[in-house]
Amino acid sequence: MAARQQPRGAKGTVGHPYSALNLRLALASFGLVLTVVLGVLVARAGHEVLAGILFALTVVTIVDLVVISRRRAARRRQEPPGTHHSLFE
């Protein structure tokens, strides 16, 4: 199944994207680091349930990073070479 750049029916084009993928990538990366560090600290403190919740959020964050990467790759294939995007595009 090929990754689509935009969800079907969304109001967005290559020039004006539906989602700020670079910003999503930065926030998801921050979330990944945060959940892993907090999960390890909480696990070392002996709170297994809370650590399990944080590690489950880590898995969700990894899935989000994969989705974002696929959408960025789809966007890259549709645009002319050498096109760059700011954090908010």
Side-chain angles (χ1 to χ4, degrees):
M1 181 171 144
R4 287 188 294 275
Q5 179 188 359
Q6 308 286 347
R8 287 187 183 176
K11 295 179 181 177
T13 63
V14 172
H16 294 79
Y18 173 77
S19 175
L21 294 177
N22 294 339
L23 180 60
R24 280 183 62 191
L25 181 65
L27 292 173
S29 299
F30 174 75
L32 178 66
V33 171
L34 185 69
T35 56
V36 168
V37 169
L38 286 178
V40 169
L41 291 175
V42 168
R44 291 183 76 192
H47 302 287
E48 291 83 16
V49 175
L50 185 56
I53 292 170
L54 285 167
F55 290 132
L57 286 174
T58 300
V59 171
V60 171
T61 304
I62 291 169
V63 170
D64 190 34
L65 284 168
V66 169
V67 170
I68 293 167
S69 297
R70 289 177 51 97
R71 287 189 179 168
R72 289 180 78 218
R75 179 177 69 184
R76 207 173 304 122
R77 283 191 301 271
Q78 292 178 358
E79 294 177 337
T83 304
H84 298 288
H85 292 277
S86 71
L87 182 63
F88 301 104
E89 293 183 273

